[in-house]
Structure formats: structure tokens, C-alpha cells
């Protein structure tokens, strides 16, 4: 950052200076004022250039922040789109899973023993019937039990055949949920990326503010130098005006002195001419005086 002006190098002029200083002193003072003014104008120009550079950097940072803002907003829009798609797919998958559960409840597929267990029990009972010596009553009860289990097995198989499309529905639901998971993953990735652009936007705006503060300070330094240069110029003009007044006064004094001299010469010539008319003899110098005044 530019330093403050070294005021010890400044040149000043007072009304007393203008009134009482000699012409030579005023000429010297005018030169000092002019040189200091030129130095200050150069300083002001350099500070204005530095200020403009800082303002340009501020605009660059603001533009950079705006780019991050636009990218962030675009990514957030994509996040919202993937969220909506994810939610739609999850809702669709849930409907299918609910449909599977409803049909299983309706077909009572989850109630009682499963098919393999019934088949094993039937096989055990038949083996017992074939290998053990039973009373007529026990064998009759065993046969009834086997028949009962065979009926339950047939009923189970029939229900399973009726609900054959449940697995397909379940697979479809799982595929849809898998697709929803992919959209959820995109939501996470895009949200992280959007947050990064948001952080970079905040940082760019912060840097822009810092640079703008420097530019404002440099502008104050420019104004300080320019005002000092303007003051020196005004004082330079005042001295120049006073010098012109002195020049005019000198010219007036010289003109008056010249007129007085000419008047005195004319009066002397008239006296010589009068002597000439009265018959006095004139020397060469007197004749030249008469010629100069046009009397001869």
C-alpha cells in the first residue's frame, strides 16, 4: 500500500510572500511549486493506476464468485431432480413390495408349514407305515394323518402356483429400488460438489471484499495526492499571476521613464533650437539632438 505524502516536501506560498518577495525569489518559488506539483501529479497518476488494477481484480473475483454461484445453483437443481426421481422410484418400489405382501397374505403363503417340511413329514410317516408293525387302529390313524398332510401339501402347491408372479413382482421392485439407490448416490455426489462450489463462492466474495478495501484505501491516497497537486498548481498560478503583475509594473515604469527621458530630450532640443533661431552657433552634439527630435 502506498505511503502517505511526505508533507515536508510540499511547497507553500502566503499572501505576504506574494506581496513582499522579490521577482527573483518569486521565480524560484514558482519553479519549486511547479516541480512539486508535477511530482504529486505523477504520484496521483500511479495511485490511480494501482486503484484501477485493484478494482479490476475485485471485478475478477466477483465474476469468479458468480461463476461458482451459477455452478452451485445448477448442481442444486440436478440434486433436486435426482431427489424427485429417487422418491418416485422408492414410492413405486414400495407399492410393488406392498402388493407382494398383500398377495402373500391373501394366499396365506406364510401360514403353516412350508412345502419341503410337509414332504419330509409325509415321507417319514410313509416309512413308518411300511416298516413298523401297527395295530389296525394305529395304522388307520397313520393313514388319516398321511392323507391330511397330503391335502395340506396339495393346497400349498396350488396356492404357490396361483402366486407364481409374486417373485417377478418382487424382482421388479428390487430392480426399481436399486435404480432409486443410484439416484440417491447421485444426490450425495452432486450435493457435495455443490457445497464445494458454495464454499469457493464464499471465499471469492471474501477476497473481493478484501481487495475492494485496498482499492478504496488506494483511492483515498490518490485523492490525497491529487488534492495536494491541485493546491500546488493553484499556488503556482497565483505566483505566476503576481509575476505578470510585476512584469507589467516594470514595463509601466520603464515606459514612464522612457517618456520622461523623451520629454526631457525634447525640451532640451527646443531650447537648442531656440538658440539656433537666435543665431547662436551649434556644435555637432547639439545638431544631433535636434535631428533626434525632428526639429532639424
Amino acid at each position: 500500500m502506498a505511503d502517505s505524502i511526505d508533507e515536508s516536501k510540499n511547497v507553500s506560498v502566503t499572501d505576504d510572500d506574494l506581496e513582499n518577495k522579490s521577482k527573483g525569489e518569486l521565480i524560484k518559488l514558482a519553479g519549486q511549486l511547479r516541480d512539486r506539483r508535477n511530482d504529486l501529479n505523477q504520484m496521483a497518476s500511479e495511485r490511480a493506476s494501482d486503484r484501477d488494477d485493484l478494482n479490476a481484480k475485485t471485478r475478477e473475483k466477483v465474476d469468479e464468485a458468480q461463476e461458482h454461484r451459477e455452478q452451485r445453483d445448477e448442481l442444486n437443481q440436478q440434486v433436486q431432480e435426482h431427489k424427485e426421481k429417487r422418491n418416485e422410484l422408492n414410492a413405486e418400489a414400495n407399492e410393488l413390495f406392498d402388493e407382494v405382501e398383500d398377495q402373500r397374505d391373501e394366499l396365506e403363503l406364510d401360514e403353516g408349514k412350508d412345502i419341503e417340511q410337509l414332504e419330509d413329514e409325509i415321507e417319514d410317516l410313509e416309512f413308518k407305515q411300511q416298516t413298523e408293525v401297527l395295530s389296525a387302529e394305529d395304522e388307520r390313524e397313520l393313514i388319516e394323518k398321511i392323507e391330511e398332510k397330503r391335502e395340506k401339501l396339495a393346497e400349498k402347491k396350488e396356492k404357490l402356483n396361483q402366486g407364481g408372479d409374486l417373485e417377478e413382482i418382487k424382482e421388479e421392485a428390487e430392480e426399481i429400488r436399486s435404480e432409486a439407490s443410484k439416484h440417491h448416490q447421485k444426490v450425495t455426489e452432486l450435493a457435495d460438489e455443490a457445497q464445494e462450489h458454495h464454499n469457493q463462492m464464499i471465499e471469492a466474495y471474501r477476497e473481493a471484499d478484501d481487495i475492494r478495501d485496498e482499492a478504496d484505501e488506494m483511492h483515498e491516497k490518490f485523492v490525497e495526492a491529487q488534492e495536494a497537486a491541485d493546491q500546488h498548481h493553484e499556488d503556482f498560478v497565483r505566483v505566476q499571476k503576481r509575476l505578470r503583475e510585476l512584469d507589467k509594473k516594470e514595463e509601466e515604469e520603464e515606459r514612464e521613464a522612457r517618456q520622461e527621458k523623451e520629454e526631457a530630450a525634447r525640451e532640451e532640443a527646443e531650447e537648442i533650437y531656440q538658440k539656433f533661431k537666435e543665431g547662436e552657433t551649434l556644435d555637432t552634439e547639439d545638431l544631433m539632438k535636434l535631428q533626434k527630435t525632428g526639429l532639424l
Side-chain angles (χ1 to χ4, degrees), residues 246-258:
L246 291 177
D247 287 341
K248 186 176 181 181
K249 183 178 180 182
E250 286 182 358
E251 291 174 0
E252 184 67 24
E253 290 175 350
E254 290 175 359
R255 185 176 59 79
E256 290 177 356
R258 190 168 53 251

Side-chain angles (χ1 to χ4, degrees), residues 23 26 52 61 77 104 130 167 176 183 272 296:
K23 183 177 179 181
L26 290 174
D52 293 343
K61 281 297 177 183
Q77 178 61 33
R104 291 181 71 87
Q130 295 171 4
E167 284 301 316
I176 293 173
H183 283 282
I272 294 171
L296 184 64

Side-chain angles (χ1 to χ4, degrees), residues 1 51 54-55 57-59 61-63 204-219:
M1 189 56 64
R51 175 203 61 196
L54 289 168
N55 281 330
K57 290 180 181 178
T58 298
R59 287 191 293 272
K61 281 297 177 183
V62 170
D63 290 342
Y205 275 132
R206 186 193 64 76
E207 292 179 6
D209 288 340
D210 290 343
I211 298 172
R212 185 182 292 109
D213 289 342
E214 291 183 37
D216 291 343
E217 184 176 347
M218 183 58 71
H219 179 68

Side-chain angles (χ1 to χ4, degrees), residues 122-221:
I122 291 171
E123 185 176 349
D124 290 341
L125 292 173
E126 288 178 340
F127 181 77
K128 182 178 182 180
Q129 181 187 20
Q130 295 171 4
T131 59
E132 293 183 10
V133 178
L134 301 171
S135 64
E137 182 63 23
D138 290 340
E139 185 169 0
R140 183 180 62 78
E141 290 180 358
L142 183 60
I143 292 172
E144 289 179 356
K145 190 176 291 187
I146 291 172
E147 288 300 320
E148 180 182 345
K149 289 186 179 294
R150 283 176 176 171
E151 288 178 2
K152 287 183 179 180
L153 177 61
E155 183 180 346
K156 275 280 186 185
K157 288 183 176 181
E158 183 180 357
K159 288 182 178 180
L160 186 60
N161 290 333
Q162 293 176 359
D165 62 340
L166 291 183
E167 284 301 316
E168 294 180 3
I169 296 175
K170 184 178 179 182
E171 288 178 4
E172 181 183 358
E174 289 173 347
E175 289 177 0
I176 293 173
R177 178 150 293 173
S178 176
E179 186 67 21
S181 295
K182 293 178 182 178
H183 283 282
H184 179 71
Q185 181 64 30
K186 290 297 292 184
V187 166
T188 301
E189 293 173 1
L190 292 171
D192 289 343
E193 190 176 350
Q195 184 61 44
E196 180 60 28
H197 281 290
H198 177 76
N199 295 340
Q200 292 179 4
M201 177 196 73
I202 295 300
E203 178 62 19
Y205 275 132
R206 186 193 64 76
E207 292 179 6
D209 288 340
D210 290 343
I211 298 172
R212 185 182 292 109
D213 289 342
E214 291 183 37
D216 291 343
E217 184 176 347
M218 183 58 71
H219 179 68
E220 292 177 2
K221 299 293 185 184

Side-chain angles (χ1 to χ4, degrees), residues 238-282:
R238 289 172 64 204
V239 174
Q240 288 291 88
K241 181 180 179 182
R242 179 56 178 162
L243 285 171
R244 285 195 297 273
E245 291 174 353
L246 291 177
D247 287 341
K248 186 176 181 181
K249 183 178 180 182
E250 286 182 358
E251 291 174 0
E252 184 67 24
E253 290 175 350
E254 290 175 359
R255 185 176 59 79
E256 290 177 356
R258 190 168 53 251
Q259 288 176 346
E260 290 177 0
K261 185 177 180 181
E262 290 175 353
E263 184 63 28
R266 179 173 290 280
E267 289 178 357
E268 184 182 3
E270 288 178 352
E271 290 178 0
I272 294 171
Y273 184 66
Q274 187 62 36
K275 292 178 182 180
F276 174 70
K277 287 197 307 181
E278 293 176 356
E280 291 186 19
T281 302
L282 302 180

